[in-house]
Amino acid sequence: MRVRGEGLRRALGAASLALLATLAAAMPAPASAAICPGAGAAITPENVTEAEDALLCLVNVYRAERGVPVLTHDPTLRTVARQHSQDMIDRGFFDHVNPDGDGPTDRAQAAGYPGSVGENIAQVFFVPPSPKRFFTLWRKSPGHNSNMLDLHGVRTRTAGMGFAIGDGAWTGTQLFGTVAAGGTETGLDCSRARAHKRAKRKALGWARARAKRAKRELRRASTPSARKRAQRRLRRARKAVKKAKRQARMAGRVVKAAAPDGVPAASGSRRTATLPAPSAPRPISSRRTASIRTCGWAQGKECSSSGTASLARSRDWWRRRAKGPAVSPWPKARPASASRRSCDR
């Protein structure tokens, strides 16, 4: 890992990673993330734009799962990243600073970006890699991982991904900007994120079922050897439940990051939680209901007159006092759909 530049570039920990992938080491990447389409596809000149979008999606999923705010796509940074990747192939160098002496921030500001940037670069040879392959390389490197998760203490808000292909080499560049200059896309698909969350919740249910079955087998074990086997199965099942819980929580964070705040499912207006119409309270006596109306108890106000001060009681007091299920005049505002975020943009 090499760090170049001063000031913010040093704070961002700009790092470089050169990878010579042999035929055995660069086997096809694992299955792509379920949320990011095209993350596992080989990068070709025809799908460079889709590969860059998939890489941004992978980075944002990685950040959202760990509670880090996601990055927006910046067209200027994407152009600068593409140009730097192609420049490294054309002029045969591999560095954050080009032969002209321009660093990441210099190139970005020359293209019109108003802030400072951090940078990750990588090269893969011989075998066509996928965006997931580049992402895995950067994630396993401490310096690059710090750039993707803002572990260096500098908050980045936007990013640009750029790939270039030439001379049997695939070069990738990531630029992380500190100023959001107009981009809004994050690369996250809300419907895919929800499907991924449902799959993780289902896996959690299966893990819990296996743990319950292992617990029953432990209770039914009659011999010491059977008990030891059941205990091992129970320990493995409980570890699987913890892992499934963690994955389900992470999937929920991705859904929150993918769904825009306050957009209802059927319209583009902001969601508003409305109070349900209160049902008629249980009539106890005409005097009591009249006192409640005149004292404003339904609005949560206490009565000031001595004759009706005893009626200004708490909701729990009236529930215990009444014979049967009393209906509170303070309805709870918990519509079923108010707490869910929509996938409609």
Side-chain angles (χ1 to χ4, degrees):
M1 181 179 70
R2 289 178 291 176
V3 179
R4 296 295 184 93
E6 298 178 356
L8 184 60
R9 284 205 302 264
R10 182 176 299 172
L12 289 174
S16 65
L17 177 65
L19 176 78
L20 180 61
T22 62
L23 183 60
M27 294 298 290
S32 61
I35 307 175
C36 303
I43 303 173
T44 63
E46 292 76 18
N47 68 346
V48 168
T49 301
E50 291 77 8
E52 293 167 351
D53 295 338
L55 180 58
L56 177 63
C57 176
L58 289 172
V59 173
N60 278 334
V61 169
Y62 187 48
R63 291 169 67 98
E65 288 177 344
R66 284 146 186 83
V68 183
V70 297
L71 303 171
T72 58
H73 163 68
D74 190 275
T76 302
L77 292 184
R78 169 183 270 186
T79 302
V80 174
R82 281 183 178 178
Q83 292 174 351
H84 187 57
S85 296
Q86 189 64 46
D87 190 28
M88 286 189 288
I89 292 176
D90 295 340
R91 294 203 274 181
F93 73 97
F94 185 77
D95 204 336
H96 294 286
V97 181
N98 61 23
D100 300 331
D102 297 329
T105 301
D106 300 328
R107 299 191 304 270
Q109 292 181 351
Y113 182 73
S116 300
V117 299
E119 185 179 70
N120 288 343
I121 58 177
Q123 271 186 341
V124 178
F125 297 90
F126 303 143
V127 178
S130 64
K132 183 68 177 293
R133 178 67 173 168
F134 276 94
F135 170 76
T136 303
L137 292 172
W138 283 318
R139 181 175 58 83
K140 291 182 178 180
S141 173
H144 302 83
N145 189 65
S146 297
N147 280 352
M148 290 194 295
L149 293 181
D150 292 350
L151 300 180
H152 39 59
V154 178
R155 168 76 167 90
T156 56
R157 292 173 171 80
T158 188
M161 313 292 166
F163 288 118
I165 305 172
D167 296 335
W170 285 259
T171 306
T173 301
Q174 288 180 318
L175 290 178
F176 304 96
T178 57
V179 177
T184 57
E185 292 295 327
T186 62
L188 298 177
D189 186 87
C190 184
S191 59
R192 288 179 175 269
R194 287 197 181 278
H196 179 65
K197 180 182 177 181
R198 287 193 295 269
K200 293 302 180 182
R201 295 291 298 178
K202 185 176 180 180
L204 175 59
W206 282 109
R208 285 172 171 168
R210 286 191 293 268
K212 290 181 180 179
R213 185 165 59 250
K215 192 173 182 180
R216 288 195 300 267
E217 292 176 359
L218 178 59
R219 288 198 301 263
R220 295 172 183 175
S222 57
T223 62
S225 60
R227 287 187 61 84
K228 288 182 180 179
R229 289 194 300 269
Q231 287 173 354
R232 287 195 296 267
R233 285 194 294 268
L234 181 58
R235 284 195 296 267
R236 289 195 297 266
R238 286 176 174 173
K239 288 182 181 179
V241 170
K242 289 182 179 180
K243 181 179 179 180
K245 283 183 178 180
R246 183 173 63 254
Q247 292 178 348
R249 287 195 299 267
M250 295 167 71
R253 293 171 187 166
V254 176
V255 171
K256 291 181 180 179
D261 295 335
V263 179
S267 65
S269 59
R270 181 171 296 276
R271 182 187 299 277
T272 56
T274 58
L275 291 175
S279 55
R282 181 173 180 263
I284 301 175
S285 67
S286 58
R287 182 175 180 271
R288 177 173 298 174
T289 54
S291 300
I292 290 176
R293 285 197 299 269
T294 56
C295 294
W297 182 66
Q299 288 78 28
K301 301 177 182 178
E302 292 186 359
C303 302
S304 57
S305 61
S306 58
T308 58
S310 60
L311 297 177
R313 304 298 181 93
S314 66
R315 178 173 47 193
D316 295 334
W317 186 89
W318 285 110
R319 187 177 294 112
R320 292 192 302 267
R321 177 89 175 190
K323 296 180 181 179
V327 179
S328 171
W330 291 335
K332 289 187 177 181
R334 295 185 61 183
S337 60
S339 60
R340 298 189 60 185
R341 301 192 179 204
S342 168
C343 292
D344 298 338
R345 291 189 177 274

